Amino acid sequence: MNVTAVIPARGGSKGIPGKNVAEVGGVPLVARAVRACLGAAHVTRVVVSTDDEAIAAAARAAGAEVVERPTALGSDEASSESALLHALDRLEEGPARPVDVLVFVQCTSPFLTAEEVDACVLAVVRDGADSSFTAAPFHGFLWSTTPDAGPGHHAHGVNHDSASRPRRQDRTPEYLETGSVYAMRADGFRTHGHRFFGRVQLVPTAPERAIEIDEPGDLVRARALAPLLDAPPCGPAPAARQNPAAPSPPRPSQYLGKEL
């Protein structure tokens, strides 16, 4: 079974210039994502899709293959799905074996673990889901606002009745999508064109690790937390996958050969 992780990482971030090669715990974000994927037992190939030379160099140094993304797919308007579809097309050219399971990883989640990547893959290949994603338990009371007749806005509860404040243990469990990793049947992704289709399964993850870097303050917070959350530290890529000039062939998985 071909389980391929694709990490889209464009170079044109506006909020944090050079974000995908910004370091957390002394390691570029793209390299952290690559190493989490390389450490996953059920991922057979790790690829970074990018339009940026610095990102490509960091990805290769961490042990990933690189797919060069067209400039048009690196704009603010281009979706992650468009980058994934382009990568699939390039990876399946010629005699290459088609991808069975596509793992979509975002390097803006610096504390993603190999275990979380594996759990998303297993939700598909073992549990029979069509797509899966990581989510953190969420117990907050959400509010929204609507314009009021007078000054300001009128607030109203979204996921609760504002007249009732049930205890956490009495509430229906809710989960917040972390944005770090998704796994999906590749043929289903091609058919539907988006990451959620068919039977969707969530993979619970630790809330303290669910940090997504979108704003400069997020990067500051991640760097402050790295000494606490990087245990064991983000070490070098596995020896068999370290040579960026000669990527090793896809790794075996215990699910190799099983039908999806």
Side-chain angles (χ1 to χ4, degrees), residues 139-159:
H139 304 288
F141 290 104
L142 288 176
W143 289 79
S144 185
T145 60
T146 54
D148 205 345
H153 293 78
H154 174 69
H156 57 88
V158 173
N159 65 341

Side-chain angles (χ1 to χ4, degrees), residues 175-198:
Y175 294 86
L176 183 67
E177 184 180 336
T178 67
S180 58
V181 57
Y182 308 79
M184 62 208 84
R185 297 173 188 266
D187 56 354
F189 174 68
R190 283 192 179 280
T191 298
H192 295 277
H194 58 84
R195 71 194 80 168
F196 300 114
F197 55 88

Side-chain angles (χ1 to χ4, degrees), residues 16 18-19 21-27 29 110-111 211 213 216-228 230:
I16 307 176
K19 175 174 66 177
V21 289
E23 294 187 357
V24 170
V27 180
L29 287 175
F111 302 114
I211 295 175
I213 295 178
D218 300 330
L219 185 58
V220 172
R221 184 161 59 105
R223 285 170 170 167
L225 288 171
L228 300 176
D230 280 349

Side-chain angles (χ1 to χ4, degrees), residues 40-51:
H42 301 294
V43 172
T44 55
R45 193 175 189 182
V46 181
V47 179
V48 171
S49 166
T50 188
D51 57 350

Side-chain angles (χ1 to χ4, degrees), residues 108-191:
T108 48
S109 295
F111 302 114
L112 172 67
T113 67
E115 291 76 16
E116 290 166 342
V117 176
D118 269 334
C120 280
V121 173
L122 290 175
V124 175
V125 303
R126 182 192 64 196
D127 301 341
D130 294 297
S131 61
S132 64
F133 66 101
T134 49
F138 177 75
H139 304 288
F141 290 104
L142 288 176
W143 289 79
S144 185
T145 60
T146 54
D148 205 345
H153 293 78
H154 174 69
H156 57 88
V158 173
N159 65 341
H160 68 287
D161 179 351
S162 56
S164 174
R165 307 293 287 187
R167 300 176 304 168
R168 175 181 298 184
Q169 59 267 36
D170 294 331
R171 298 176 62 191
T172 301
E174 293 181 318
Y175 294 86
L176 183 67
E177 184 180 336
T178 67
S180 58
V181 57
Y182 308 79
M184 62 208 84
R185 297 173 188 266
D187 56 354
F189 174 68
R190 283 192 179 280
T191 298

Side-chain angles (χ1 to χ4, degrees), residues 51-78:
D51 57 350
D52 184 89
E53 283 301 321
I55 294 173
R60 291 190 180 99
E65 300 175 56
V66 171
V67 168
E68 293 185 8
R69 193 193 311 187
T71 302
L73 297 182
S75 68
D76 292 340
E77 292 75 27

